[in-house]
Amino acid sequence: MCLQKIPIAIILSLFLSCQNIKEEPQRDIHLPKVDKPEHTLNVAFLIVDGVYNSELVAPMDIFHHTVYHADPGMRVFTVAPELKPITSFEGLKIIPDYSFLSDSLPPIDILVVPSAEHSMDTDLENQALVSFVTEKGTNAAYVMSLCDGAFLLAKAGLVDGKESTTFPSDIDRYRKTFSHLTVHEGVSFVHDGNLITSVGGAKSYDPALYLSQLLYGKKAALGLARGLVIDWNLNQIDFVIVKK
C-alpha cells in the first residue's frame, strides 16, 4: 500500500492541519422588513439610444422570471421618450412598449434606469427625460439604477439625502458632479430606502436578485438564480444597506 511508505508523523500532521481548517463565518445580514406584494408589480425599464445591453437585460431577465417563482410576480416593460426603435450601444434594436406620453402607460411600481452612452452628459440636459424620471421615480415604490444610471437619478433629485454608488471608473466624476451626495466605492450595490444603485456590468444581476429576495423571499431568489445558472449567496456579495 502507498500509505505504508508515508511516515506516520506526516500523516498525523496532515490530519491535524485539516482539523484546524475553519469555514469563514457567515455575515449576520438583516434585510429590511417589507410586506410581500399583493398584486403584480409593474416594472418599467427606461431605455434611450445608447443604452447598454448588460444593464438592461440582466435585471430584466431576473424580474421577468419572477412570475415562475412568486405569485403574484412582476410585469416588465420598456418605456422611452418616443415609440421609435431604440438602438443600444452594442447595436441591439428595441421597440419600446410605451412612450413618455402614452395614455396607456401603466402605473410604475419599480422604475429601473440602466446606464446609457450619454448618461453622464447630454442625457442630463434632456429636460423631458429628467422630468419623467423625477415624476415616475418619486411615485414608485422602488427605483433602481445600473452603472451610470445613477447620474440620471441624481440629476432628477432622487438621490438627495441618500447614499449611492455607480460604475467604479466613474465614481470620481459622480462625486464631483454631485458633491453633496454620500457615495460608496468597492461594493456591488447600495440600498437606501426606496433607492437601489448598482455598479452595473455583470453585477447588474445582484441588485435585481436582492430586490427579488427582499420582496418574495430567499427561496424565490434562489430559484431565479438557478434558472440563470447564477450562484446566489448574499453572504458572498459586498453591498450596503443604509439603516436610518
Side-chain angles (χ1 to χ4, degrees):
M1 297 291 291
C2 293
L3 288 176
Q4 293 176 337
K5 299 179 181 179
I6 302 176
I8 297 298
I10 294 178
I11 296 176
L12 182 60
S13 176
L14 291 172
F15 175 78
L16 292 175
S17 296
C18 291
Q19 298 305 304
N20 291 327
I21 295 175
K22 297 181 180 179
E23 293 184 359
E24 292 186 8
Q26 296 287 298
R27 287 188 296 166
D28 190 14
I29 299 175
H30 295 285
L31 299 186
K33 292 184 178 179
V34 300
D35 294 330
K36 183 177 179 180
E38 296 181 352
H39 66 277
T40 299
L41 297 178
N42 290 325
V43 184
F45 285 80
L46 179 62
I47 57 174
V48 296
D49 281 325
V51 65
Y52 291 105
N53 288 354
S54 295
E55 284 78 15
L56 169 62
V57 175
M60 181 176 281
D61 275 352
I62 297 296
F63 292 151
H64 169 78
H65 286 89
T66 56
V67 295
Y68 303 108
H69 301 276
D71 185 19
M74 299 179 179
R75 174 198 174 200
V76 303
F77 53 86
T78 55
V79 58
E82 302 177 49
L83 286 177
K84 66 180 183 180
I86 293 292
T87 303
S88 74
F89 181 80
E90 293 82 3
L92 185 67
K93 303 292 183 182
I94 309 167
I95 299 176
D97 295 308
Y98 301 97
S99 75
F100 289 176
L101 301 178
S102 296
D103 293 333
S104 57
L105 178 63
I108 297 174
D109 297 301
I110 300 174
L111 177 64
V112 183
V113 181
S115 180
E117 182 180 8
H118 295 293
S119 291
M120 296 186 293
D121 43 65
T122 54
D123 283 350
L124 303 182
E125 300 169 6
N126 185 328
Q127 191 55 52
L129 181 63
V130 174
S131 295
F132 178 85
V133 173
T134 300
E135 176 190 352
K136 301 303 181 182
T138 299
N139 296 317
Y142 291 96
V143 179
M144 177 183 293
S145 68
L146 295 310
C147 189
D148 294 328
F151 281 77
L152 187 53
L153 294 187
K155 181 68 175 182
L158 300 179
V159 191
D160 289 349
K162 297 181 179 179
E163 302 178 19
S164 61
T165 192
T166 190
F167 188 67
S169 298
D170 299 325
I171 289 283
D172 288 343
R173 183 167 179 174
Y174 187 57
R175 285 175 170 153
K176 291 177 181 178
T177 305
F178 305 102
S179 57
H180 62 293
L181 298 180
T182 298
V183 183
H184 289 268
E185 191 170 2
V187 296
S188 175
F189 62 88
V190 176
H191 177 197
D192 188 344
N194 74 331
L195 176 70
I196 300 176
T197 53
S198 161
V199 297
K203 292 187 180 296
S204 296
Y205 289 100
D206 289 354
L209 281 167
Y210 167 79
L211 183 55
S212 297
Q213 180 165 332
L214 186 66
L215 294 173
Y216 303 113
K218 185 176 181 179
K219 181 179 179 181
L222 289 173
L224 288 163
R226 281 195 299 270
L228 292 168
V229 199
I230 297 172
D231 293 325
W232 176 243
N233 185 343
L234 271 177
N235 278 288
Q236 298 176 352
I237 296 173
D238 290 323
F239 66 98
V240 173
I241 299 177
V242 180
K243 299 179 179 179
K244 298 179 178 178

